């Protein structure tokens, strides 16, 4: 459509479109709004609170970005988190007599959580990539299975961590480095590594090619099954990591732990500009998406203009709006 | 005879760029008017304007002598003007009859009148000599049959004007014959037909008049009588054309690829052949003969049994990556669905197959950029700008990008499936030269093609496939269209000089 003389490399980066900037602008607008509604909004306490609570969904959403970019979906992450938390707590309680309360116990618990998460992700990945069952079906099934298993493990109630172990483990959520809480640090590290993996590594490129057109990827010697499986295993591992940060917060897990996390994670990914049908993903966008969602929640709680009960409705509107804006950006090209 | 549909001085711009400069074109009942030109000459734009898909920026359209404008293609369809697309407009998950009646289903009361629709669908398909079950799902049909369904749909809408955009691009010789017969029949029934094709022999065969476009300008409109293929090609390119095919280099004696009793379940039985260093080996046969399946079996894209040896070493089965590492690569015939990521950038497409050469842990973007620059010059890829998507390149440039992508792995053996499908003659020549240069450089090339002149012109040896097995092998002077077709269709077993 343009003329045929190919010009060189310069002058190509600065086409920052509204599509790219949209989520960032929305985030800035929310911060301005929050600050003007409540003077406490930008206080250290509130910012830490918002970020620390975003961390669980955020860590999971980074993994979800890879799954969605690769043309998949994972609906099971919320109940998977509950299940991992339950298993972790039971394992730690069982280990208290032999290991005592201390660093080894916590490390053992973390290892159990990571392994459970990775195994759950691997199972999803195997069923989807090797057995060739639709991701939606597999993870919808897994969602029900883990949720029910957790309730069963808790015998309909709550699984609580041993009291002493809980006190010992608490700082992993509440303490931090240089005044930054651990969950925030972990989230930041995961996000940065994710962003690098998506943009700069063959794995990220392969995910995008897989989501864009699986046939082309296959014909281009991409190990399609392996990459697809890797996205689910990665997500499972990140669910494990998120759970490690989550358990010390309350020290318990029940059938209602992590309810709707999958939807929040998917919503954050979509708001961030990742294409739902795959082929293009943006990890930093997902981070922005997570922050937008938790800021809305926070602002509704701080300012009493709109009922906090409407949180879900507003988030729903934002998700739909984000997709509409993306589509306009595409057709304007 | 007056024209049904006439374009006068039509001009079309996309943004600031004018791509069509005052083109005249007319369609007369009972006539086949061919529109030819290289990729980017403005054929598609002209056709889309005639078919109501695009509006001219300047100039006018006359329908039965009266000025008209078509706001969209539905308006044109309502006047009996139908365009048959290169990319099919069929709903793959629906059946043939559902497609034929899509949007204009017959009803009986509130319900669909399936019986009447099926009967009518049968009749239309029978008129085209097309033996497809109306209840078959389109996704299960072969490409040529889909083409027939597309044409049957046009028939069903009582088309007065048929605009056919390269209908034979994906057909083999025999299927093309059937299609051309049908087109002649439609013409005899009084339809006005606009026909485009890169295959000039077809144009010479069926066209009554020919219009040549070059770079968006009208070059000539003349009677097809006495307009030779060579003269057409020169009018399209705008310069004299030397021989289309380069000299064939002489192959060495050592065997680089040895395929033994390869069987691809359902497609190929016991295929064995050898490929030598520096050789161009042609694979000919009808569509469905199993050529593509055999090649995909060799490189590990399909499960296959039997032996494949590269340089004497057995190749691990079922792994495209192992084949690539052994220096064996396959260029698919389906560049849009299997070759390129149309929505992705040129760079991402270029380096996808050889990505591990651009860094194990991190991708070296500067090296990628340099690779793109090199590919542009080496393969003469013409792109508007470097950040465009592969899908917005013209067909010829897409094919060159696919070549560049494959060559980035520095293969020893290249299998090219339909190297010039849907590509203009200028680009074709470039690709032929490139294939010959590869062989001259000591690489080995397998060319799978349904265009016999191409197989004959490029190859020093030709393997003919028919119905899933290797039906014969021809070398040197034996390679003729006649000899290939006989073997492909399994007639006249080696009777030598035909009686």
């Amino acid at each position: 459509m343009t003329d045929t003389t190919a010009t060189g490399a310069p002058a190509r980066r600065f086409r920052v479109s509204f599509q790219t900037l949209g989520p960032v602008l929305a985030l800035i607008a929310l911060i301005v709004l929050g600050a003007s509604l409540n003077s406490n909004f930008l206080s250290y306490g509130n910012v830490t609170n918002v970020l620390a609570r975003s961390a669980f969904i955020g860590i999971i959403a980074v993994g979800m970005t890879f799954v969605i970019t690769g043309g998949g979906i994972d609906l099971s992450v919320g109940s998977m988190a509950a299940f991992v938390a339950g298993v972790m707590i039971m394992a730690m309680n069982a280990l208290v007599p032999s290991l005592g309360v201390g660093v080894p116990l916590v490390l053992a618990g973390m290892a159990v959580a990571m392994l459970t998460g990775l195994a759950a992700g691997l199972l999803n990945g195997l069923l989807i990539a090797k057995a060739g069952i639709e991701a939606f079906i597999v993870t919808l099934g897994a969602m029900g299975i883990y949720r029910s298993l957790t309730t069963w493990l808790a015998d309909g109630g709550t699984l609580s961590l041993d009291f002493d172990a809980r006190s010992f483990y608490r700082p992993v959520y509440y303490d931090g480095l240089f005044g930054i809480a651990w969950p925030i640090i972990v989230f930041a590290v995961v996000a940065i590594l994710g962003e690098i993996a998506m943009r700069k590594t063959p794995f990220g490129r392969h995910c995008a090619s897989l989501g864009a057109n699986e046939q082309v990827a296959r014909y281009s010697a991409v190990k399609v099954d392996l990459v697809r499986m890797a996205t689910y295993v990665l997500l499972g591992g990140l669910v494990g990591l998120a759970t490690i940060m989550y358990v010390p917060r309350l020290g318990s897990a029940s059938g209602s732990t992590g309810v709707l996390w999958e939807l929040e994670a998917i919503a954050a990914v979509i708001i961030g500009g990742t294409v739902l049908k795959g082929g293009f993903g943006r990890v930093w966008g997902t981070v922005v998406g997570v922050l937008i969602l938790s800021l809305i929640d926070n602002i509704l709680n701080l300012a009493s203009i709109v009922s906090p009960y409407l949180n879900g409705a507003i988030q729903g509107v934002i998700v739909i709006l984000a997709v509409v804006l993306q589509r306009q950006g595409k057709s304007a090209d | 005879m007056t024209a049904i549909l006439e374009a006068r001085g039509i001009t079309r711009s996309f943004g600031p760029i004018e791509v069509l400069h005052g083109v005249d074109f007319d369609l007369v009942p009972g006539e086949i008017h061919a529109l030819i030109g290289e990729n980017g000459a403005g054929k598609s734009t002209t056709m889309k304007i005639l078919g109501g898909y695009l509006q001219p920026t300047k100039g006018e359209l006359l329908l039965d002598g009266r000025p008209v404008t078509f706001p969209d293609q539905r308006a044109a369809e309502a006047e009996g003007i139908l365009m048959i697309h290169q990319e099919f407009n069929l709903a793959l998950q629906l059946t043939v009859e559902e497609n034929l009646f899509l949007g204009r289903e017959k009803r009986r009361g509130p319900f669909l009148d399936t019986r009447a629709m099926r009967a009518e669908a049968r009749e239309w398909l029978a008129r085209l000599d097309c033996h497809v079950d109306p209840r078959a799902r389109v996704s299960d049909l072969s490409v040529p049959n889909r083409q027939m369904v597309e044409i049957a749909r046009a028939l069903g809408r009582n088309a007065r004007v048929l605009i056919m955009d390269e209908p034979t691009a994906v057909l083999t010789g025999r299927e093309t014959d059937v299609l051309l017969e049908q087109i002649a029949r439609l013409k005899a029934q009084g339809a006005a037909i606009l026909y485009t094709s890169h295959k000039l022999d077809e144009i010479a065969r069926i066209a009554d008049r020919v219009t040549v476009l070059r770079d968006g300008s009208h070059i000539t409109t003349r009677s097809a009588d006495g307009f030779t293929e060579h003269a057409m090609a020169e009018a399209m390119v705008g310069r004299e054309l030397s021989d289309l095919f380069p000299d064939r280099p002489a192959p060495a004696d050592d065997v680089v690829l040895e395929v033994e009793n390869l069987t691809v379940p359902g497609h190929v039985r016991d295929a064995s052949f050898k490929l030598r260093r520096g050789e161009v080996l042609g694979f000919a046969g009808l569509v469905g003969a199993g050529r593509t399946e055999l090649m995909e079996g060799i490189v590990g894209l399909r499960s296959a049994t039997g032996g494949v040896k590269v340089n004497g070493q057995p190749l691990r089965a079922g792994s495209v990556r192992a084949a690539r590492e052994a220096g064996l690569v396959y260029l698919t015939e389906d560049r849009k669905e299997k070759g390129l990521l149309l929505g992705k950038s040129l760079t991402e497409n270029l380096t996808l197959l050889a990505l591990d050469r651009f860094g194990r842990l991190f991708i070296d973007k500067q090296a990628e950029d340099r690779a793109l620059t090199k590919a542009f010059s080496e393969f003469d890829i013409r792109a508007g700008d470097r950040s465009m998507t592969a899908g917005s390149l013209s067909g010829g440039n897409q094919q060159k990008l696919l070549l560049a992508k494959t060559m980035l792995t520095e293969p020893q053996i290249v299998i090219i499936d339909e190297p010039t499908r849907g590509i203009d003659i200028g680009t074709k020549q470039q690709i032929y030269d490139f294939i010959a240069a590869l062989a001259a450089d000591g690489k080995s090339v397998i060319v799978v093609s349904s265009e016999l002149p191409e197989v004959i012109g490029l190859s020093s040896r030709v393997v003919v496939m028919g119905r899933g097995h290797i039906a014969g092998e021809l070398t040197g002077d034996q390679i003729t269209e006649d000899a290939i077709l006989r073997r492909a269709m399994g007639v006249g077993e080696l009777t030598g000089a035909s009686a």
Side-chain angles (χ1 to χ4, degrees), chain A residues 1-3 7-9 196 199-202 205-206 208-209 212-213 215-216 218-221 223 279, chain B residues 17 296 301 321 330 337-341 344 348 351-353 355 360-363 365 368 384 386 405:
Chain A
M1 296 236 173
T2 42
D3 81 41
T7 45
I196 292 173
R199 288 169 79 99
K200 297 209 186 278
T201 67
R205 189 68 70 80
H206 285 166
S209 65
N213 186 331
Q215 286 273 38
V216 174
R218 211 163 70 82
Y219 276 71
S220 303
K223 290 173 179 161
Chain B
I17 294 128
E296 293 186 345
L301 282 161
R321 184 159 293 218
Y330 168 72
E337 280 301 317
K338 295 175 180 159
L340 296 174
L341 298 168
K344 292 270 170 198
E348 279 177 72
T351 58
L352 186 57
L353 181 60
L355 198 57
R360 280 271 165 207
L361 189 55
F362 296 114
I363 301 169
K365 303 240 169 152
E368 280 193 300
R386 298 171 68 96
K405 165 185 170 181

Side-chain angles (χ1 to χ4, degrees), chain B residues 358-384:
Chain B
F358 292 86
R360 280 271 165 207
L361 189 55
F362 296 114
I363 301 169
D364 182 347
K365 303 240 169 152
Q366 275 153 15
E368 280 193 300
D369 229 40
R370 287 194 298 274
L372 186 64
T373 308
K374 193 161 161 244
F376 274 8
S377 64
E378 222 167 280
F379 293 88
D380 188 33
I381 297 168
R382 294 183 201 164

Side-chain angles (χ1 to χ4, degrees), chain A residues 121-247:
Chain A
L122 181 67
L123 193 63
N124 277 345
L126 279 173
L127 288 170
I128 292 161
K130 293 287 182 193
I133 310 171
E134 293 267 352
F136 189 92
I137 306 293
V138 169
T139 60
L140 186 68
M143 172 168 117
I145 292 169
Y146 293 130
R147 178 67 61 206
S148 147
L149 281 178
T150 311
T151 314
W152 176 66
L153 288 177
D155 205 12
T158 303
L159 287 162
S160 294
L161 190 56
D162 175 85
F163 184 79
D164 295 328
R166 196 191 309 184
S167 318
F168 187 80
Y169 193 7
R170 257 175 74 87
V172 171
Y173 179 78
Y174 290 97
D175 278 6
L177 262 188
F178 312 117
I180 306 170
W182 282 116
I184 303 176
I185 295 172
V186 172
F187 178 26
V189 169
V190 166
I192 290 167
L193 290 179
E195 174 71 13
I196 292 173
M198 183 65 91
R199 288 169 79 99
K200 297 209 186 278
T201 67
F203 174 64
R205 189 68 70 80
H206 285 166
C207 281
S209 65
L210 176 62
N213 186 331
E214 183 179 337
Q215 286 273 38
V216 174
R218 211 163 70 82
Y219 276 71
S220 303
V222 174
K223 290 173 179 161
V224 173
D225 291 352
L226 209 65
V227 174
R228 172 158 294 148
M229 222 152 64
T231 61
Y232 288 96
V233 173
L234 173 70
L235 177 53
L238 289 174
V239 169
L241 187 60
T243 313
I244 289 173
M245 308 313 298
Y246 175 80
V247 166

Side-chain angles (χ1 to χ4, degrees), chain A residues 4-5 14 39 42 44 78 104 122 128 135 138 162 171 196 298:
Chain A
T4 47
T5 51
F14 293 100
S39 55
L42 288 176
Y44 170 79
L122 181 67
I128 292 161
V138 169
D162 175 85
I196 292 173
N298 184 242

Side-chain angles (χ1 to χ4, degrees), chain B residues 50-53 55 63 68-82 160:
Chain B
L50 289 168
Y53 288 80
Q55 279 69 50
L63 182 71
V68 281
T69 51
F70 299 128
D72 55 26
Q73 95 272 12
R74 285 174 162 276
E77 258 188 53
E79 296 291 348
I81 299 165
L82 271 131
R160 291 200 293 161

Side-chain angles (χ1 to χ4, degrees), chain B residues 397-417:
Chain B
N397 282 312
Q398 284 180 0
Q399 186 71 3
K400 289 187 207 166
L401 179 64
L402 188 55
L403 261 175
K405 165 185 170 181
T406 311
M407 296 316 294
L408 213 51
T409 63
E410 295 170 15
Q412 288 303 304
I413 306 162
V414 188
I415 303 174
I416 311 184
D417 202 345

Side-chain angles (χ1 to χ4, degrees), chain A residues 44-58:
Chain A
Y44 170 79
N46 189 52
V47 170
T48 298
N49 180 33
V50 169
L51 289 177
R53 291 173 66 151
S54 323
F56 317 125
I57 300 284

